Amino acid sequence: MAESKPRVLLVEDTRSLAVVYEQYLAQDGYEVLLADCGQQALAQLLTSPPPVVLLDLELPDMSGMDILQQITEQQLPCSVVVITAHGSVDVAVEAMRLGAFDFLTKPFDGKRLCATARNALKHQQLSSLVAQYRENFERSSFAGFIGASMPMQAVYRIIESAAPSKATVFITGESGTGKEVCAEAIHQCSPRSEQPFIALNCAAIPHDLMESEIFGHVKGSFTGAQGDRKGAASLADGGTLFLDEICEMDLDLQSKLLRFIQTGTLQRVGSGKLETVDVRFVCATNRDPLIEVKAGRFREDLYYRLHVIPLSLPPLRERGEDILLLARSLLQSYTREENKRFKDFDAEVARVLLDYPWPGNVRELQNVVRNIVVLNDRELVNLDILPPPLSGRRGGVVAMAPASTVSGDAMPSLNTPIRPLWLVEKEVIEQAIASCDGNIPKAAALLEISPSTIYRKKQSWEEASLV
């Protein structure tokens, strides 16, 4: 099929000019839509807005400014080029201030008209790409996750791509990074979302009961088996089976799991009957699975059967401003739950949250915020109510009380007043940037830190100045 022509809406009430403009544009490859009054133009815009609008400001039924205002207010995907008479340039400039892309002053020739239309079309195409990028790659939340950082955008894209298939997803990441949230997101984005999602933590179940938990058992198959019982695999039939901490599974059971994955059939403990089930496997571990394979604790053939789509969740310390996004979301949630007054964190607390390494990841952050809300009640979270291990910190450095003696000798008094470390750090960074003529990557290299650290700190200082 031939590529469709780009559309241009020409709003011009002088018929002779409209015909000339239409010929110019048609020769340059445009499909031209004509409107000789404001109402006709608005009807076309609201029905099917074209990427480019050539708008005469002097119309018989309304001002072109009114149409421009409608386009701007309703955020229609159009680049507007205003057509104005000679001597009305001030009006055209005002139109650009209100959202027009460019203006043409009558009279103009076909070359100028087509060049302006091409520029407007390119501008609108670029704007559409930017909007699409923001929609797809700058999400601050997704399927249970909260985070706008680049590492999380990559996670969202993998989930979206992998979810529609039946391929097994192998999730890795430190404890507390949200592996079960990730598994649920894969399930919810898949065609199986209306079917069961069954999660089984292989580290939380005694080894001698694990086979029964996965495959089920029949009455009398072992002591305590007082009736037939379905396992997680049967309960997940048609849906998703999530095996968390899979590296904790015994080698003997790993071979039975491999057979189940390969054949799609299972056998309950104590039963000689095979059952066929249809499940999508998602598994997770906080260990390095290849190390477990090399150590002989995890079957290599099972690893390659499960490790189809690897998905690594980033630790919280590598997610930058996501820390504050998560912390504020948790603060709002717990504040409503506990009927407290908290609204936000003050600037110093925000710096502490950003600089703390969060070894326990999101789970540790949840515990910290929950502790604050349960034990206190005020509008702003201040340093004095931070729980350990964040208490006593200033910008990520533990505040030490001055020692009066060292090895029994009195410390000499300092005449120079002690200044906050974060303020000294701020001055050093700003001096380095100034010395590098504003080149932040160069300043970061001289300071032996990453540019992202400088950008993050600059943002936190700006936020602090607004408090």
Side-chain angles (χ1 to χ4, degrees), residues 89-104:
V89 175
D90 290 343
V91 177
V93 171
E94 176 65 13
M96 292 182 66
R97 190 184 68 81
L98 295 175
F101 167 70
D102 201 350
F103 68 91
L104 288 168

Side-chain angles (χ1 to χ4, degrees), residues 94 118 126-127 132 163 182 211 255 267 298 305 356 390 402 434 451 458:
E94 176 65 13
R118 281 195 297 271
L126 180 60
S127 297
Q132 184 179 1
C182 184
E211 183 176 359
S255 63
Q267 191 172 334
F298 198 77
R305 175 65 67 171
Y356 181 66
L390 278 73
K458 281 173 64 66

Side-chain angles (χ1 to χ4, degrees), residues 201-355:
N201 190 326
C202 300
I205 300 169
H207 293 307
D208 54 346
L209 296 179
M210 180 61 73
E211 183 176 359
S212 171
E213 288 293 326
I214 295 177
F215 301 118
H217 60 256
V218 297
K219 182 179 180 181
S221 56
F222 56 85
T223 303
Q226 299 178 355
D228 293 352
R229 183 176 182 274
K230 287 185 175 183
S234 298
L235 294 173
D237 190 16
T240 302
L241 177 60
F242 173 49
L243 298 175
D244 197 6
E245 304 301 348
I246 194 169
C247 287
E248 302 293 334
M249 186 179 291
D250 279 348
L251 286 170
D252 289 341
L253 188 53
Q254 290 179 27
S255 63
K256 295 180 180 179
L257 177 63
L258 176 61
R259 190 181 313 115
F260 169 44
I261 295 170
Q262 290 173 332
T263 65
T265 61
L266 61 86
Q267 191 172 334
R268 297 190 195 186
V269 177
S271 172
K273 180 182 177 182
L274 289 176
E275 299 179 31
T276 300
V277 294
D278 172 29
V279 299
R280 196 264 180 86
F281 291 94
V282 179
C283 56
T285 181
N286 61 3
R287 301 185 184 184
D288 185 328
L290 274 178
I291 291 178
E292 297 301 301
V293 169
K294 291 176 182 177
R297 293 187 291 266
F298 198 77
R299 290 180 62 106
E300 186 176 13
D301 48 3
L302 179 59
Y303 167 77
Y304 286 113
R305 175 65 67 171
L306 293 173
H307 203 263
V308 180
I309 301 176
L311 200 167
S312 177
L313 293 180
L316 187 56
R317 62 183 172 274
E318 294 179 3
R319 292 174 55 183
E321 294 296 324
D322 284 357
I323 296 170
L324 289 182
L325 277 178
L326 279 161
R328 286 176 172 136
S329 176
L330 292 168
L331 185 69
Q332 292 172 7
S333 176
Y334 296 155
T335 296
R336 287 193 301 268
E337 186 179 321
E338 301 290 341
N339 195 26
K340 297 295 181 72
R341 294 179 295 156
F342 288 105
K343 293 182 178 178
D344 202 354
F345 304 93
D346 73 11
E348 286 188 293
V349 171
R351 281 194 294 271
V352 170
L353 294 177
L354 287 170
D355 289 333

